[in-house]
Amino acid sequence: MRIAVGAITRRRPGMFAELLDSFVTMERPAGAQITFLFAENDAETTIQAELDAFRARVPEEVRFALEPRPGIPAARNTALDMALEGGFDYLTFVDDDETVRPDWLVTLMAGMEAHCCDLAGGPVALVEPDEQLSALNRAVFELQARRMKRRDRERRGFMEQGVSNPYNIYTNNWCVRLDFVREHGVRFDESLRVTGGSDSRFSLDLEAKGGRRCWVSDAVVEEPTPKKRLTLRYVYARARDQSSNSVRFKKQGLARVAGKAFARLFEAFLNLIAAPFTRGRSLAKVAYKSGVAAGLILGALGHRSRHYDSHADRYHTEVDR
């Protein structure tokens, strides 16, 4: 079994180095041949020192490619092409702002084989930042952490029932069987360069071509969450853009989503009323529910998210400006 362990990165050298550290101590599946594949999405290479240090610490081959075309899906396709051309059986992805637990790869591959699936995902455990948090920051963090745990419970429930996972699989914790990709030509949609959601689109396309998706609850990665993402503004924008992408991918019209949007707005209103009694903590739910409602309407009207445009670099890179 030949496994390509992949990640793409852009302007997160510190976080990327922490991911590499976790790869060093990661357990390897018995009898598997591991190769690490990394793609940097920038005009020039900036992580050579991190790569050189990593190569000196692991026995496996480390391959690298620079993808100067801007956009996450282009970088993902570069790593995917490296894996296909290298003749690998499986390709994994995690995000460059995450770390893997020691048993992550062993558990993920065991889940792939046990469920005979073509695309597998696992949970992301949010890690509170070391920075001092305000009450509002903490409320946002706790909301996001609860949503992650609920997502895991729902997906785990479907797997326990013995049915194919009906949810999209995201590249923050992801493994694909490459023979399926070779046979059906599934790719990351590069028209989604700034919108986000190219992993959701990949997951939907794989399912449409007959691919089986599964969830491996014990294959956990951790995501240290920067304080700058624990704001009402960010949680609103992220919910809006993810909701908008989902509606567009499913080609849902305004009549289809209007009732759901109204329900989310009503929930936001109730949480706003409750804010004085929760010391403002329910404001995190106001931002999230309002974002979902806005995204439903905007997506139905054909709005394209710009979640990863250059204006948002301060949220998605280690650059603060």
Side-chain angles (χ1 to χ4, degrees), residues 74 106 141 152 274 291:
V106 171
F141 175 82
D152 179 40

Side-chain angles (χ1 to χ4, degrees), residues 257-270 289 292-293 296:
V257 304
K260 187 176 180 180
F262 177 80
R264 297 295 87 78
L265 282 174
F266 184 67
E267 291 169 355
F269 176 69
L270 293 179
K289 302 285 186 180
V292 171
L296 289 168

Side-chain angles (χ1 to χ4, degrees), residues 78-188:
T78 295
L80 179 62
D81 287 338
M82 292 169 69
L84 292 170
E85 293 164 6
F88 292 95
D89 300 307
Y90 297 95
L91 170 65
T92 73
F93 272 131
V94 293
D95 287 348
D96 60 345
D97 59 349
E98 297 174 337
T99 59
V100 302
R101 291 185 179 173
D103 65 348
W104 166 73
L105 185 61
V106 171
T107 306
L108 184 61
M109 298 312 304
M112 285 282 293
E113 295 185 354
H115 298 297
C116 299
C117 61
D118 302 298
L119 181 63
V124 176
L126 298 186
V127 178
E128 188 173 315
D130 294 332
E131 305 161 89
Q132 184 173 355
L133 301 181
S134 68
L136 199 53
N137 293 146
R138 191 169 301 281
V140 171
F141 175 82
E142 291 173 354
L143 172 68
Q144 301 289 52
R146 285 196 302 271
R147 290 186 61 245
M148 289 290 195
K149 291 177 181 177
R150 184 170 63 250
R151 175 190 296 174
D152 179 40
R153 286 195 303 270
E154 292 171 349
R155 287 154 175 74
R156 184 172 63 243
F158 279 102
M159 299 310 301
E160 290 172 350
Q161 296 169 31
V163 299
S164 179
N165 174 50
Y167 294 99
N168 291 328
I169 304 296
Y170 307 120
T171 50
N172 56 17
N173 189 353
W174 185 96
C175 181
V176 70
R177 186 168 64 86
L178 289 170
D179 277 350
F180 188 93
V181 176
R182 292 185 181 97
E183 180 179 355
H184 297 281
V186 190
R187 306 280 293 173
F188 293 100

